[in-house]
Amino acid sequence: MRFKIPVYCSSCDTETRIRTSRKMTSGYYVIHRECKNKACGARFKTEETFSDFTDEDHLKRFELDGLEPSHCALIIIDQQDANALRSFRFKRNNPKAELYMLKVLHAWREHSLPIIHVRHISRDSESHFSPGCPGSNFQPDFEPLPNEHIIDKSIPDAFLNTEIESWLRKRGIEQLVICGATSDGSIEGTVRTAGNLGFTVWVPDDACYTFTKYGYDGSHIPAEYAHIIAMTNIHHGQSTVVDTSMILLALENILRKSKKNKKHH
């Protein structure tokens, strides 16, 4: 049984309401809330957990118990200055997405796991992503380290017309964690191909984002809706959509078990 306990806004202390609730597994829910105070309008994510389940329960549900760190590459897509600038000009979802990306990036770096930074280089000379334009540069927090691989693409799909597949195959990498921007653009395009090529893919949805847009019929599509549709498409198709916390928990559990096994031997 779930109890309705009031949750108050951290900005104005007004009671909040649930916008959406996603059941991750028995006893574990991800809740998206919004402030009832229209003048505030804050939106944020919370989690509900119950004591009658273990960490392994919801990791198994999303096959994260099968994560193999040394054979799982982190792919961060299009974290460039052009997208940072666009975030100031257009409405987007997941304002803390970069924070979650960095959490995963730091975890992969801490354990010296394979990392790929995908950079969009546009063929359009007027694009902020065009070669030589400041917008094509990596954002400072996402500047690749010397031992991290960089893939340049000119279309949303990071696998088409690039060497990314051969780079992964040569290293025996069969699992991927993919995050970045945009949810309904490069993320969805890349994930679809990765899944079709046989890679196991996890997408932390809180570490991805997109922007408000207009539909083919001129209708206004909020960024939140575009993001949800993109995540739904790939979750029911070529990947498993999870939370950053689940990725980090799976990594921590598997590495801890590995250390214990080494001590016993």
Side-chain angles (χ1 to χ4, degrees):
M1 179 178 180
R2 297 174 64 195
F3 298 94
K4 294 184 178 180
I5 301 173
V7 175
Y8 296 92
C9 177
S10 59
S11 298
C12 69
D13 205 33
T14 301
E15 188 174 340
T16 63
R17 64 168 62 89
I18 294 176
R19 293 174 55 229
T20 60
S21 174
R22 183 185 181 199
K23 181 178 180 181
M24 306 302 285
T25 188
S26 178
Y28 177 49
Y29 296 80
V30 172
I31 312 296
H32 293 268
R33 293 181 172 272
E34 66 180 356
C35 182
K36 290 183 177 180
N37 178 5
K38 292 184 179 180
C40 174
R43 293 183 175 184
F44 56 93
K45 183 181 74 172
T46 61
E47 297 179 359
E48 291 183 0
T49 57
F50 303 90
S51 59
D52 59 346
F53 79 106
T54 64
D55 291 339
E56 284 75 12
D57 289 334
H58 60 271
L59 294 182
K60 287 180 180 179
R61 177 180 172 85
F62 297 99
E63 300 182 350
L64 278 166
D65 58 322
L67 178 70
E68 299 179 20
S70 60
H71 297 286
C72 183
L74 170 63
I75 300 179
I76 301 179
I77 299 180
D78 296 355
Q79 286 314 290
Q80 296 160 257
D81 286 338
N83 269 331
L85 176 62
R86 194 178 177 192
S87 296
F88 287 107
R89 298 173 57 195
F90 300 98
K91 290 184 179 180
R92 56 169 268 196
N93 71 310
N94 283 351
K96 295 184 178 180
E98 288 86 352
L99 174 62
Y100 291 114
M101 290 181 222
L102 289 172
K103 286 184 177 182
V104 182
L105 177 59
H106 292 160
W108 252 247
R109 283 176 172 173
E110 180 183 356
H111 300 289
S112 301
L113 302 178
I115 298 170
I116 296 176
H117 298 264
V118 175
R119 176 172 56 190
H120 189 76
I121 302 297
S122 178
R123 296 171 182 168
D124 181 358
S125 61
E126 296 184 1
S127 170
H128 291 296
F129 289 96
S130 61
C133 181
S136 66
N137 296 332
F138 287 107
Q139 295 176 34
D141 288 341
F142 294 93
E143 191 69 38
L145 298 181
N147 63 326
E148 296 169 0
H149 196 58
I150 298 173
I151 293 288
D152 287 341
K153 65 178 178 62
S154 59
I155 58 175
D157 187 344
F159 277 86
L160 191 60
N161 300 327
T162 73
E163 75 276 16
I164 189 170
E165 182 185 2
S166 61
W167 190 92
L168 294 168
R169 301 291 190 197
K170 288 178 181 178
R171 290 158 180 79
I173 295 172
E174 300 176 349
Q175 299 178 341
L176 308 172
V177 171
I178 300 178
C179 60
T182 57
S183 309
D184 52 345
S186 293
I187 297 297
E188 186 171 0
T190 300
V191 168
R192 284 183 180 277
T193 300
N196 289 336
L197 289 172
F199 291 95
T200 298
V201 186
W202 292 282
V203 178
D205 74 317
D206 49 359
C208 301
Y209 65 88
T210 192
F211 299 91
T212 294
K213 60 186 60 183
Y214 291 95
Y216 70 94
D217 57 353
S219 60
H220 177 262
I221 303 175
E224 292 87 351
Y225 294 169
H227 174 81
I228 290 171
I229 292 299
M231 293 297 110
T232 300
N233 289 341
I234 58 179
H235 184 68
H236 291 301
Q238 288 78 12
S239 74
T240 302
V241 176
V242 294
D243 274 0
T244 296
S245 60
M246 297 173 66
I247 296 287
L248 298 178
L249 178 61
L251 182 63
E252 178 185 344
N253 283 358
I254 291 165
L255 291 174
R256 184 173 62 247
K257 289 178 181 179
S258 178
K259 287 181 180 179
K260 285 184 178 180
N261 291 335
K262 287 181 179 179
K263 285 183 179 179
H264 290 317
H265 289 84

